[in-house]
Amino acid sequence: MSVDVVRHDNWGRWGPLDERGTLNLLTPERVTAALGRPRSGRTFSLGTTIGKRGIVSPSRNPTWHVTTTVEDPSTPGNGRAEDIVAFHTHAHTHIDGLAHSWFDGKIYNGFPAERAVGRGGSNLAGVEKYGPIIGTGLLLDVTIDRAPFGPGERVTARELDNAASRADIDPADADVLMIRVGWTELYWTDRRLYESGSPGLGPDAVEWLAGYDPAVIGMDTAAIEPLPPTKGVHPLAAHRRFLHELGTPLIESLALAEPAEAGVSSGLFIALPLPIDRGLGSPLAPVLVV
Amino acid sequence: MSVDVVRHDNWGRWGPLDERGTLNLLTPERVTAALGRPRSGRTFSLGTTIGKRGIVSPSRNPTWHVTTTVEDPSTPGNGRAEDIVAFHTHAHTHIDGLAHSWFDGKIYNGFPAERAVGRGGSNLAGVEKYGPIIGTGLLLDVTIDRAPFGPGERVTARELDNAASRADIDPADADVLMIRVGWTELYWTDRRLYESGSPGLGPDAVEWLAGYDPAVIGMDTAAIEPLPPTKGVHPLAAHRRFLHELGTPLIESLALAEPAEAGVSSGLFIALPLPIDRGLGSPLAPVLVV
Amino acid sequence: MSVDVVRHDNWGRWGPLDERGTLNLLTPERVTAALGRPRSGRTFSLGTTIGKRGIVSPSRNPTWHVTTTVEDPSTPGNGRAEDIVAFHTHAHTHIDGLAHSWFDGKIYNGFPAERAVGRGGSNLAGVEKYGPIIGTGLLLDVTIDRAPFGPGERVTARELDNAASRADIDPADADVLMIRVGWTELYWTDRRLYESGSPGLGPDAVEWLAGYDPAVIGMDTAAIEPLPPTKGVHPLAAHRRFLHELGTPLIESLALAEPAEAGVSSGLFIALPLPIDRGLGSPLAPVLVV
Amino acid sequence: MSVDVVRHDNWGRWGPLDERGTLNLLTPERVTAALGRPRSGRTFSLGTTIGKRGIVSPSRNPTWHVTTTVEDPSTPGNGRAEDIVAFHTHAHTHIDGLAHSWFDGKIYNGFPAERAVGRGGSNLAGVEKYGPIIGTGLLLDVTIDRAPFGPGERVTARELDNAASRADIDPADADVLMIRVGWTELYWTDRRLYESGSPGLGPDAVEWLAGYDPAVIGMDTAAIEPLPPTKGVHPLAAHRRFLHELGTPLIESLALAEPAEAGVSSGLFIALPLPIDRGLGSPLAPVLVV
């Protein structure tokens, strides 16, 4: 397997009005191919808890969970309880909308940022345009070569190559490429380390992934990018490449420990973004079925 | 096909500590069987919009969607936008948690309500226990026999029988039974009518459905129950039967018009509840793949 | 009484680091003078309801009010209830922070907007710097000369002059100048008219008010400015003049009908902004004591 | 000065429909008397910061503060920023509504709790009924006799007596009695100690205060009650006595260090509860003017 560093610039690839980017690659054929993969029906949950203990950066607000209870006064012992939640769509396990980041005044497909994003949200390329994500998932576990990863460290193309050579399918056959560096779990086991930064994708890893023309990229960090940023590299280089140039949605803060520890490297990947009207992102509870 | 009115009381069926009810029926075998159904890969979204226009009862609060924008001051033209959302988990298309309703001081499986539900949410049978829902879905469109339905009107067992006879699979082969009365769409086309009440399941329809021992029940109304309630029938009779006695999750406010109008009656049903910690419900963006 | 159109530009007036603008005028001497005004102790509330029925523009989110109830399980009949609220600080009766609006890249006192306002709020001139507002209030009721006011209509200097001549104190002796056009009440009596626009201050009225060097300006409209804007006049001309150039806080959506109908034109004005950390505004429940 | 332990039970005192309790004592005469007290016009803020750093118990949700920014695309350099806040009304410096707690199925004035408090809030004795609070405040600083106070420790009647004897006015001449134990400041200086419990009023201190028939009670702790509770004393004894029996609002988490350290013991007290419709409490930014 060799590193394929063909540059894919997807502006216009699905027409000048396209708002879904590489999700267009998830054709009915790819969906049915992915649905045909599972043998055992075993299902791994790749989403993290939503609530007071949920992942959120210190610069945002902790997720609210409020319980309301109503007793039926006419029938003692009968009642009901409900809840309200309030959260940042870029907290927890989540997917970035294509209008989340802009560069040089433009989002994916060349839409002017000032037209795409306004006070009421994303007028163009909103997260409600994504629709269901069903495809073949490949889990690239780079912790086998290097663990633990530390803040600011970069996954390399070579490490992805090694991880791919250990997997049971070829990256070219996958729709959703997921990279595991073992970071999400630290949120609950070593908050101090977790909040001190993050490993991320190095420039050659970004190109390695882009070379396979994936529909979706996922990772078990909150930002995909190394934090602190690498000197001489744009701090949002991966966002620029994937969201802006390629129109490839990013899924962040995936929980990948369980499938990785079970030796699973591929399967049916399903994620159902909430149809948040004009949304810039959505919480996600993805699964991998094998 | 005949109406099977065997009473299933599922307390203890999966042990005294079970918190998932009939979702236990979704075994890996049922999952793989369901995954094998789709032929075309065509996917229908059964979830409704989340945001200011989202479905919510007047007694709750309209969903909040707030957009935050940050321009990068050092690089004009670069920036990012995010959003926060706040909503009732029992607004929009959603799934009821098993601790949502209690009767005679108890929730499903006999757990005392005062122990199951507290200030912080559901200590037992929380929605985060559900996990992914993957199974065979059957869409019972009763609008073919009677349309339009009006507030307080009841779906009957006979109508379900007729709908089932028109479907391409047997209810016994389905995991998720969905009933369509054509109500969800009215939220945007006739708000006054929508808020004046709701059609619901009549007592014999409840037993008809229960007789098939489904994993999940779904409907295109916000409450499953007829509103105003039928004289002489408990206003929460369906909740009592499904959530409380049978441990069968209810999905409310489904959007079923599109598959129904496409003549689809069955397929792969997928819903991924958000793992809201100690949650009483979750918004949902379910799909039906055919 | 003549119109005094001296231009007050207050940048630097209280030093280059000042963040409180004309609230500096509320010296202990002015406070004690104001406290000495009331004769009867009768108190008028000038704030509007906060909750689902509260004033909010359609472009913002309706205020949330959620009640949580906890029964004490060990002592039947004992319990407690609390609430949570969520709202825009620029909804309801509220005060604008000095960092609310910027022009030519600057807020009041010449602070650069990009330094004054960031993701976490107002780093400079935040509403928590205001402190209590205690002074002599003058109510200028211009509805006596012209009623009803309509959307886009402008209060004139002449009308303010007339209103002042009917009042029992001179504008020069007041700290808080309040203009009544009869608009706030329409929110509950004629929502359609209310949301179709708003009367506001015309350019000469702005200068008339500025000429008296007030500590605070208040009005019974949500924006102070005429909506739709007057042709040839900046749509935020009053914000520019008061917040930006003069550092004069604006109180919007005051409820002035009750004192006006009681024939009250002056008294002790008190408003206690919430010390919202780095806030851009605050809800307010001001009073006028006579 | 002697301890006056007359039991005041105020149900019916202001009629069977009264919803304001001892705030009825703040007659226009008391208001004007209070307004006449200040000599210097110096004003102390007794409210604590509202925002991410604001006081909130761990069982509630941290206050949200979200900033929204809109650049005017047609005029570079022009823009505006606003904020939204979400908080528990029983966080920060706040006033308890009279429907906050019930005992034996009843709130103040004998209103049945099930009628007074529902899903939408307080149908009776809501915080919006309070209106402005203007009266003579007395600050009883008991830290002079005993400091520091620790969790579970109780202020005694003797200590209040001593504090009163050091003050410049008689408790009988005050409307608002405030007790300082030095606790609020610990929230920012020693969070661990702060959250380990709280000093509170002992039973004889409660009666000492009640004996003066105050309009309002305030304290610099979050619960007024000692935490952990005193053996043999109802954990909500002070709430029962003041809110339930006497209809006396409680103000919690006052910031009293500044006036106390300035040697101030009395003055004009002003607090303006937000008119939260059917509210169970309100944040507060009270002041003491001397």
Side-chain angles (χ1 to χ4, degrees):
Chain A
M1 193 176 307
S2 71
V3 182
D4 174 13
V5 199
V6 176
R7 199 168 181 91
H8 288 268
D9 189 321
N10 290 332
W11 293 14
R13 181 174 173 188
W14 294 281
L17 300 179
D18 177 60
E19 304 178 54
R20 299 180 67 239
T22 49
L23 290 184
N24 286 290
L25 297 170
L26 296 175
T27 57
E29 294 71 35
R30 296 297 288 180
V31 169
T32 47
L35 293 175
R37 291 199 176 269
R39 290 291 161 260
S40 73
R42 181 173 178 190
T43 302
F44 294 93
S45 288
L46 312 182
T48 56
T49 187
I50 293 181
K52 292 188 182 182
R53 296 176 56 250
I55 294 177
V56 64
S57 77
S59 67
R60 297 193 182 94
N61 296 278
T63 294
W64 270 43
H65 182 222
V66 175
T67 308
T68 61
T69 305
V70 181
E71 296 279 343
D72 180 348
S74 67
T75 320
N78 287 14
R80 67 182 188 283
E82 302 184 356
D83 28 33
I84 67 139
V85 289
F87 53 79
H88 291 260
T89 55
H90 291 261
H92 313 110
T93 307
H94 68 276
I95 190 164
D96 285 352
L98 291 181
H100 171 47
S101 294
W102 53 91
F103 300 88
D104 309 326
K106 295 199 155 74
I107 67 161
Y108 162 72
N109 219 6
F111 296 124
E114 65 184 38
R115 194 152 63 81
V117 182
R119 188 182 190 173
S122 50
N123 306 307
L124 291 165
V127 79
E128 80 278 17
K129 307 282 172 62
Y130 276 171
I133 298 172
I134 302 175
T136 297
L138 171 60
L139 170 45
L140 298 162
D141 185 358
V142 297
T143 65
I144 291 172
D145 291 333
R146 172 165 41 148
F149 271 84
E153 292 190 24
R154 288 164 288 162
V155 176
T156 65
R158 173 172 295 274
E159 286 173 313
L160 292 179
D161 239 17
N162 288 346
S165 68
R166 286 188 298 262
D168 56 5
I169 65 166
D170 191 278
D173 294 333
D175 304 299
V176 181
L177 299 179
M178 293 175 278
I179 304 95
R180 178 182 186 232
V181 291
W183 201 253
T184 292
E185 313 71 296
L186 293 176
Y187 191 78
W188 298 282
T189 59
D190 191 345
R191 184 71 54 89
R192 190 181 301 261
L193 175 59
Y194 183 92
E195 292 186 344
S196 71
S198 172
L201 298 179
D204 62 345
V206 167
E207 288 312 317
W208 188 96
L209 292 162
Y212 284 106
D213 198 20
V216 178
I217 295 288
M219 195 167 174
D220 62 346
T221 69
I224 307 279
E225 318 280 357
L227 285 173
T230 309
K231 259 186 195 156
V233 179
H234 191 292
L236 291 172
H239 281 69
R240 179 171 198 136
R241 190 75 182 112
F242 289 117
L243 290 183
H244 175 72
E245 291 179 7
L246 298 174
T248 303
L250 299 173
I251 301 179
E252 295 168 320
S253 296
L254 281 168
L256 298 174
E258 203 182 337
E261 284 161 13
V264 165
S265 59
S266 72
L268 163 64
F269 177 93
I270 311 172
L272 304 176
L274 294 181
I276 298 171
D277 187 33
R278 304 170 76 191
L280 282 316
S282 170
L284 228 52
V287 291
L288 191 66
V289 190
V290 298
Chain B
M1 194 174 304
S2 70
V3 182
D4 174 14
V5 198
V6 176
R7 199 170 180 89
H8 289 267
D9 189 323
N10 289 333
W11 292 15
R13 181 174 174 188
W14 294 282
L17 301 178
D18 177 61
E19 303 179 55
R20 299 181 65 240
T22 48
L23 290 183
N24 286 290
L25 296 170
L26 295 174
T27 57
E29 293 72 33
R30 298 295 289 180
V31 169
T32 46
L35 294 175
R37 290 198 176 269
R39 289 293 161 261
S40 73
R42 182 173 176 191
T43 302
F44 294 93
S45 289
L46 312 182
T48 56
T49 187
I50 293 182
K52 292 188 183 184
R53 294 176 58 251
I55 295 177
V56 64
S57 77
S59 67
R60 299 193 181 94
N61 296 278
T63 293
W64 269 43
H65 182 223
V66 175
T67 307
T68 62
T69 305
V70 181
E71 295 279 342
D72 179 348
S74 67
T75 320
N78 287 13
R80 66 183 190 281
E82 301 184 357
D83 28 32
I84 66 139
V85 288
F87 53 79
H88 291 261
T89 55
H90 291 261
H92 313 110
T93 307
H94 68 277
I95 190 165
D96 284 352
L98 291 182
H100 171 48
S101 293
W102 53 91
F103 300 89
D104 309 326
K106 296 201 154 76
I107 66 161
Y108 162 72
N109 220 6
F111 297 124
E114 65 184 37
R115 193 151 64 81
V117 182
R119 188 182 190 173
S122 51
N123 305 307
L124 291 165
V127 80
E128 79 278 18
K129 307 283 171 61
Y130 275 170
I133 298 172
I134 303 174
T136 298
L138 172 60
L139 170 47
L140 298 162
D141 185 359
V142 296
T143 66
I144 291 171
D145 289 334
R146 174 167 38 149
F149 272 83
E153 291 190 25
R154 287 166 288 161
V155 175
T156 65
R158 173 173 295 271
E159 286 173 313
L160 293 178
D161 239 17
N162 288 346
S165 69
R166 286 188 297 262
D168 56 5
I169 65 167
D170 191 278
D173 294 333
D175 304 299
V176 180
L177 299 179
M178 294 175 278
I179 304 95
R180 177 178 188 236
V181 292
W183 202 252
T184 293
E185 312 71 296
L186 293 176
Y187 191 78
W188 297 281
T189 59
D190 191 344
R191 184 72 54 88
R192 189 180 302 261
L193 176 59
Y194 184 92
E195 293 188 344
S196 71
S198 172
L201 299 179
D204 62 344
V206 168
E207 288 312 315
W208 188 95
L209 292 162
Y212 284 105
D213 198 19
V216 177
I217 294 289
M219 196 166 172
D220 63 345
T221 69
I224 307 279
E225 319 279 357
L227 284 173
T230 309
K231 258 188 196 154
V233 178
H234 191 292
L236 292 171
H239 281 70
R240 181 172 197 133
R241 189 75 182 114
F242 290 118
L243 290 182
H244 175 70
E245 292 179 7
L246 297 174
T248 302
L250 299 173
I251 301 179
E252 295 167 320
S253 296
L254 281 168
L256 299 174
E258 202 183 338
E261 283 162 13
V264 166
S265 59
S266 73
L268 164 64
F269 177 93
I270 311 172
L272 304 176
L274 295 181
I276 298 171
D277 187 32
R278 306 170 74 192
L280 281 317
S282 170
L284 228 52
V287 291
L288 191 67
V289 191
V290 298
Chain C
M1 193 175 305
S2 71
V3 182
D4 174 13
V5 197
V6 176
R7 198 168 182 92
H8 289 267
D9 188 322
N10 290 332
W11 294 14
R13 181 175 173 187
W14 295 281
L17 301 179
D18 177 59
E19 304 178 54
R20 299 180 66 240
T22 48
L23 291 183
N24 286 291
L25 297 170
L26 295 174
T27 57
E29 293 71 33
R30 298 294 291 179
V31 169
T32 47
L35 294 176
R37 290 196 176 272
R39 290 293 160 262
S40 72
R42 182 172 177 192
T43 303
F44 295 92
S45 288
L46 312 182
T48 56
T49 186
I50 293 183
K52 292 187 182 184
R53 296 176 58 250
I55 293 177
V56 63
S57 78
S59 67
R60 298 192 181 95
N61 296 277
T63 294
W64 269 43
H65 182 223
V66 175
T67 308
T68 62
T69 305
V70 181
E71 295 279 342
D72 180 347
S74 67
T75 319
N78 287 13
R80 67 183 189 282
E82 301 183 359
D83 28 34
I84 66 140
V85 288
F87 52 80
H88 292 260
T89 55
H90 291 260
H92 313 110
T93 306
H94 68 275
I95 190 166
D96 284 352
L98 290 182
H100 171 50
S101 293
W102 53 92
F103 301 88
D104 309 327
K106 297 200 154 75
I107 66 162
Y108 161 72
N109 219 5
F111 297 124
E114 64 184 37
R115 194 151 63 81
V117 182
R119 187 181 189 174
S122 51
N123 305 307
L124 291 165
V127 79
E128 79 279 17
K129 307 282 171 61
Y130 276 170
I133 298 171
I134 302 175
T136 297
L138 171 61
L139 171 46
L140 298 161
D141 185 359
V142 296
T143 66
I144 290 172
D145 290 334
R146 173 166 40 149
F149 271 84
E153 291 189 24
R154 287 164 288 163
V155 176
T156 64
R158 172 172 296 272
E159 286 172 314
L160 292 178
D161 239 17
N162 289 346
S165 68
R166 287 188 296 261
D168 56 5
I169 65 169
D170 191 279
D173 294 332
D175 304 299
V176 180
L177 299 179
M178 293 174 280
I179 304 95
R180 178 179 187 235
V181 291
W183 201 253
T184 292
E185 320 58 304
L186 292 176
Y187 192 77
W188 297 282
T189 59
D190 191 344
R191 184 72 54 89
R192 190 181 302 262
L193 175 59
Y194 184 93
E195 294 187 344
S196 71
S198 173
L201 299 179
D204 62 343
V206 167
E207 288 313 316
W208 189 96
L209 292 163
Y212 284 104
D213 198 20
V216 178
I217 294 289
M219 195 167 174
D220 63 346
T221 69
I224 306 280
E225 318 279 358
L227 285 173
T230 309
K231 259 189 194 152
V233 179
H234 192 293
L236 292 171
H239 281 70
R240 181 172 197 133
R241 189 73 182 114
F242 289 116
L243 290 182
H244 174 71
E245 292 179 6
L246 298 174
T248 303
L250 299 173
I251 301 179
E252 295 167 320
S253 295
L254 281 168
L256 299 174
E258 204 184 335
E261 284 162 14
V264 165
S265 60
S266 73
L268 163 64
F269 177 92
I270 312 173
L272 304 176
L274 295 181
I276 298 172
D277 187 32
R278 305 170 75 192
L280 282 315
S282 170
L284 228 52
V287 291
L288 191 66
V289 191
V290 298
Chain D
M1 192 174 309
S2 71
V3 181
D4 175 13
V5 198
V6 176
R7 198 168 181 92
H8 288 268
D9 189 321
N10 289 333
W11 293 14
R13 181 173 174 189
W14 294 281
L17 300 179
D18 176 61
E19 305 179 53
R20 299 181 66 240
T22 48
L23 290 184
N24 286 291
L25 297 169
L26 296 173
T27 57
E29 293 71 34
R30 297 296 289 181
V31 168
T32 46
L35 293 175
R37 291 199 175 269
R39 291 290 161 264
S40 72
R42 181 172 177 191
T43 303
F44 295 93
S45 288
L46 311 182
T48 56
T49 186
I50 293 183
K52 292 189 182 183
R53 295 176 57 251
I55 294 177
V56 64
S57 77
S59 67
R60 297 193 183 95
N61 296 277
T63 293
W64 270 43
H65 182 222
V66 175
T67 308
T68 62
T69 305
V70 180
E71 295 279 343
D72 180 347
S74 67
T75 320
N78 287 15
R80 66 183 189 281
E82 302 184 356
D83 29 33
I84 66 140
V85 288
F87 53 78
H88 291 260
T89 54
H90 291 260
H92 313 110
T93 307
H94 69 276
I95 190 165
D96 285 351
L98 291 182
H100 171 47
S101 294
W102 53 92
F103 301 89
D104 310 327
K106 296 199 153 80
I107 67 162
Y108 161 72
N109 219 5
F111 296 124
E114 65 183 38
R115 194 151 63 82
V117 182
R119 187 182 190 173
S122 50
N123 305 307
L124 292 165
V127 80
E128 79 277 19
K129 308 283 172 61
Y130 276 170
I133 298 171
I134 303 174
T136 298
L138 171 61
L139 171 45
L140 298 162
D141 185 358
V142 297
T143 66
I144 291 172
D145 291 333
R146 172 164 43 148
F149 272 83
E153 291 189 25
R154 287 166 287 163
V155 175
T156 65
R158 172 172 296 273
E159 287 173 314
L160 293 178
D161 239 17
N162 289 345
S165 68
R166 287 188 297 262
D168 56 5
I169 66 166
D170 191 277
D173 294 333
D175 305 299
V176 180
L177 299 179
M178 294 175 278
I179 304 95
R180 178 179 186 234
V181 291
W183 202 252
T184 292
E185 342 20 332
L186 292 176
Y187 191 79
W188 297 281
T189 59
D190 191 344
R191 184 72 54 90
R192 190 180 301 262
L193 175 60
Y194 184 92
E195 293 187 345
S196 71
S198 172
L201 299 179
D204 62 344
V206 168
E207 288 312 315
W208 188 96
L209 292 162
Y212 285 105
D213 198 21
V216 178
I217 294 289
M219 195 167 175
D220 62 346
T221 68
I224 307 278
E225 319 279 357
L227 284 174
T230 310
K231 260 189 194 152
V233 179
H234 192 292
L236 292 172
H239 281 69
R240 180 171 198 132
R241 190 76 182 111
F242 289 117
L243 290 183
H244 174 72
E245 292 179 7
L246 298 174
T248 303
L250 300 173
I251 301 179
E252 295 167 321
S253 296
L254 280 169
L256 299 174
E258 204 182 336
E261 284 162 12
V264 166
S265 59
S266 73
L268 164 64
F269 177 94
I270 311 172
L272 303 175
L274 295 181
I276 298 171
D277 186 32
R278 304 170 77 192
L280 282 316
S282 171
L284 227 52
V287 291
L288 191 66
V289 191
V290 297

